[in-house]
Amino acid sequence: MQIIRFKNYEQLSDYTADFIVDALKNKPDLVLCMASGSTPALTCDLLVQKLKKDKVDYSTLTFIGLDEWVGLPPTNTGSCHCFFCTKIFEPLQLKPSQYHLFNAQADDLKSECEKMDGFIAEKGGIDIMIVGIGMNGHIGFNEPGTSFATLSHVAELDEVTKSVGQKYFSGPVQLGKGITIGFGHLMNTKKVFLMANGIKKAEVIKKTIEGPVTENFPASIMQRLENGFVLIDEEAASLLSKPH
Ligand code: GLP
């Protein structure tokens, strides 16, 4: 794991967007998996701007959505699906064949997971994963206690996730389960970037980097990843006791 520190959120987002653009220039059939949420929001905007400005050919890019709230329609503005439609698919006019997201309204969620696992295998694995971190240390919806070996699965959301998750919605919503890509995929991804910014993420970043590696604190898996990068701004880095 490498730690890369930035002065602020803008610089962190700019670096991440540049990294994706360069990767796509070098590998036009890049397989990119991203989390939605507040953290990668600016990266998405900058990515779209930079791809257009540099006239990068993204016609063979494949995009995979990391997770979704179970039961939500893609039209719900708090859904991960809606986030990516607004921020990536529509601005870049991606063809539907270029992206794969969980259908969180499917009757058979187990088969949705198998479809995702099959899709990733068919694409030859994920090149770049951009993830955030939850206030309980989750990545995607890999909640505390989830095995590091799990592939795509449905998770019972813990209380922290259900309450923090309300921020994405215009009114209170009943959140119970999430569907997510698992750590088995994360471990096989060529490069994993965990992004965190702001003082509210300082505590979880300290545990991610300096705490024990344990399934009880999912993001600690980053310490095991040779190709893992933790990208943090000054505020998120503010509780680290060692100069990393
Ligand atoms: C959410 C999602 C994650 C996301 C994380 C942090 O619950 N399941 O994929 O990365 O929490 O979100 P944010 O970036 O909004 O803080």
Side-chain angles (χ1 to χ4, degrees):
M1 169 184 74
Q2 287 177 47
I3 295 149
I4 312 181
R5 297 168 72 143
F6 300 88
K7 206 170 164 34
N8 54 39
Y9 177 58
E10 287 69 27
Q11 287 182 13
L12 181 154
S13 306
D14 198 57
Y15 174 92
T16 312
D18 276 341
F19 191 92
I20 300 169
V21 171
D22 287 344
L24 189 58
K25 284 178 183 167
N26 290 323
K27 186 176 187 286
D29 61 345
L30 190 81
V31 180
L32 171 67
C33 172
M34 280 188 84
S36 57
S38 321
T39 314
L42 182 57
T43 301
C44 291
D45 296 343
L46 294 171
L47 176 64
V48 168
Q49 282 170 28
K50 288 170 192 279
L51 289 176
K52 288 186 174 174
K53 184 171 149 278
D54 291 4
K55 297 195 169 44
V56 180
D57 178 9
Y58 48 80
S59 61
T60 50
L61 163 73
T62 297
F63 188 99
I64 294 174
L66 179 70
D67 55 8
E68 187 58 279
W69 307 96
V70 166
L72 288 193
T75 46
N76 185 310
T77 52
S79 70
C80 304
H81 197 123
C82 187
F83 176 95
F84 288 128
C85 273
T86 314
K87 293 222 162 260
I88 303 273
F89 307 157
E90 284 165 14
L92 291 180
Q93 305 243 291
L94 291 193
K95 302 181 286 279
S97 58
Q98 280 184 269
Y99 52 87
H100 190 85
L101 305 177
F102 287 112
N103 171 6
Q105 287 196 301
D107 291 333
D108 186 351
L109 291 171
K110 193 163 172 280
S111 135
E112 270 305 297
C113 293
E114 287 163 5
K115 271 191 226 160
M116 180 60 89
D117 293 341
F119 185 80
I120 293 170
E122 192 187 298
K123 291 287 164 191
I126 299 169
D127 293 305
I128 298 179
M129 223 189 240
I130 310 283
V131 301
I133 180 169
M135 297 307 288
N136 60 357
H138 73 206
I139 290 179
F141 282 127
N142 290 272
E143 294 284 51
T146 311
S147 157
F148 284 165
T150 315
L151 297 178
S152 301
H153 61 280
V154 175
E156 290 292 338
L157 301 179
D158 87 3
E159 292 309 318
V160 176
T161 304
K162 287 191 248 184
S163 103
V164 176
Q166 298 296 325
K167 71 174 178 171
Y168 304 115
F169 302 93
S170 45
V173 277
Q174 192 78 24
L175 301 171
K177 291 180 181 173
I179 183 165
T180 186
I181 284 175
F183 284 157
H185 291 303
L186 185 113
M187 300 246 239
N188 285 326
T189 294
K190 297 191 187 87
K191 284 205 164 71
V192 179
F193 293 83
L194 185 150
M195 303 173 74
N197 67 286
I199 197 72
K200 64 182 183 305
K201 294 286 171 78
E203 188 67 47
V204 287
I205 282 301
K206 185 177 172 59
K207 286 190 187 163
T208 301
I209 296 172
E210 296 179 351
V213 177
T214 163
E215 289 168 351
N216 291 327
F217 192 80
S220 63
I221 194 174
M222 291 303 293
Q223 294 181 39
R224 291 246 177 104
L225 302 183
E226 265 178 48
N227 292 326
F229 300 82
V230 178
L231 311 181
I232 41 181
D233 72 352
E234 270 180 11
E235 289 188 7
S238 60
L239 291 179
L240 296 178
S241 53
K242 293 177 257 165
H244 296 276

